[in-house]
Every structure is written in C-alpha cells, then in structure tokens.
Amino acid sequence: MSNTTGTPATWVVVGASRGIGLEYVKQLLQAGHTVIAAARNPGASGLSSYDNFKFHMETNVIGPIICAQKLVNLSPDNPPSKLIFISSDSGSTTNFLAHEDGFAAYSASKAALNQMLRHMAEELKRRGGKWAEICVLALHPGEVHTDMNSGEVGSWDVGTLLEPDESVSGMLRVISEKNHNDTGTFWCWDGRVPNVKEDLLKVLGQKNHIGSDDIIPFFRVFI
C-alpha cells in the first residue's frame, strides 16, 4: 500500500479469499483504492500435529513475512509507506491465554509473527532513508465472526463476535492514524494497546493519566 489517507492508493491484501482479508478488499474498493488481492492455495491443514504446526507457521509467519520482504524491495525508490500484519492476542507471551486448548500451533505462529515484524521494523530503521519511514504494525482484529470462529475454535466462550466489516473499519482507522514513529507496535482493532493490564497502570500509579501514546515505550515488554 502507498498510503492510508483519502487519496486513492494501491493496497496489496494477502489472504483475501475470505473473512477479514475479503472484507479489507471490499472496503478498500468502496473507498476508491486499487487493490491487489492474493490468496494461498486453500488446502487442508492436515490431521497430524506436525502438519498442523507446519500449516500455521507457513500461513501466519513465513508467507506474510516473505511477501512483505518482496514488497519492500520491489521499488527501492518508492517503498510502501506501511506494512500491516494481522496478528492476535493469542500470540501474546505476557497475556498468556491458557484456556485456548488446541490453539497452541496457532498461538505459536502469531508469537513468531510478532517477533519477525519487530525485527523487520528495526532493520528498516537502520537502513535509513525512505526505508526508515516505513511503518510496520501488528493488529489484533478482535474476535470476529469468520469461518475460524464459527467452527474451528474450542469450547471456551469468546464472547460477542464482531462482524468483519466492524473489525476492518476499526483497523483501517488505526492504520490511518499511525506513522513511522509507531513502527514495530501492536494495536487492537479499536485503537487500544493490547496486553497492557490494569495492574500495570496501577503499579505506575497514573491510571487516570496514561493514554495509549504514553504506553508505547513499554510495548516491547508486554507483547
């Protein structure tokens, strides 16, 4: 993508065949943007634990990171302004969701994605020039009413599900608000900083005075 303002831009959406990715395509086209939509080969994830783990790592880590690297180097004189990765609070190592039975491979893949994009953000800053102006973000889309949450989750209660249009609309707002100063950070679909617990704010003793911008320096500790 080239920008997130009202000016028509070119967006590359990887994983656009269904769910959140498809909703991104719909809303971006409605807003007048040009969209290059890509989808993986929708094969089964496999029954064995090895195949399942491999499937999640290829889909959630290797594929997105390789695509991002290719896009970054596609036009050295005009690299993308932002690289957005759909992550999940399931990948948090600090706010560990112990009740998510059967989600170990998925959670591990999202944790790996978070680490990869943080390294990417730092490496781009060290390159300098236009590379340093790229904003790399991780976004948690919330619990969304997609195929994944319609039949693949475990027996736990995920609460009220968001519809894809609400989740994507929120994420697009977050994307439009962030710039290279926010690179390497992790946000919820509604603009909250995920995984920063209430007890942290209490420890800091400034619960009523700390906003999301103030918490950014603590981000790397709490992902």
Side-chain angles (χ1 to χ4, degrees):
M1 54 170 285
S2 59
N3 65 55
T4 51
T5 66
T7 304
T10 299
W11 292 63
V12 178
V13 180
V14 179
S17 62
R18 63 178 186 172
I20 294 171
L22 179 59
E23 185 61 34
Y24 262 105
V25 172
K26 291 178 180 178
Q27 293 196 26
L28 291 170
L29 288 175
Q30 289 174 355
H33 298 291
T34 298
V35 178
I36 300 172
R40 63 177 175 81
N41 182 7
S45 62
L47 298 178
S48 71
S49 59
Y50 175 83
D51 286 342
N52 187 50
F53 194 21
K54 179 172 178 284
F55 166 78
H56 283 294
M57 294 301 289
E58 289 179 343
T59 301
N60 295 331
V61 189
I62 299 173
I65 292 296
I66 295 299
C67 284
Q69 289 176 338
K70 297 293 186 182
L71 287 171
V72 164
N73 294 298
L74 188 62
S75 178
D77 294 330
N78 188 30
S81 62
K82 297 179 182 180
L83 295 171
I84 311 302
F85 296 88
I86 302 302
S87 187
S88 171
D89 60 353
S90 295
S92 171
T93 55
T94 300
N95 187 29
F96 176 59
L97 304 180
H99 61 278
E100 292 189 341
D101 294 341
F103 259 38
Y106 173 82
S107 298
S109 70
K110 291 300 187 180
L113 175 67
N114 291 343
Q115 291 298 314
M116 288 294 294
L117 68 89
R118 289 168 65 187
H119 279 286
M120 178 179 289
E122 293 301 320
E123 290 171 9
L124 288 171
K125 284 195 291 186
R126 284 193 290 273
R127 280 195 192 184
K130 291 186 177 180
W131 309 108
E133 298 176 6
I134 298 176
C135 178
V136 182
L137 297 177
L139 292 180
H140 170 51
E143 300 294 345
V144 185
H145 189 197
T146 62
D147 290 347
M148 177 177 171
N149 276 335
S150 295
E152 297 178 16
V153 297
S155 59
W156 64 88
D157 182 12
V158 297
T160 302
L161 295 177
L162 296 168
E163 290 302 319
D165 60 338
E166 183 179 5
S167 172
V168 171
S169 294
M171 287 190 286
L172 287 173
R173 282 193 296 272
V174 174
I175 293 168
S176 68
E177 294 168 355
K178 306 306 174 188
N179 57 41
H180 66 279
N181 293 316
D182 303 298
T183 194
T185 56
F186 188 15
W187 300 86
C188 286
W189 68 277
D190 55 2
R192 291 179 294 112
V193 178
N195 308 328
V196 178
K197 300 180 180 179
E198 288 295 310
D199 55 357
L200 165 66
L201 302 183
K202 292 177 182 178
V203 168
L204 294 176
Q206 302 177 33
K207 181 176 179 181
N208 296 325
H209 304 287
I210 294 180
S212 59
D213 291 340
D214 301 309
I215 295 174
I216 286 299
F218 299 98
F219 166 77
R220 302 196 187 285
V221 179
F222 296 101
I223 193 168

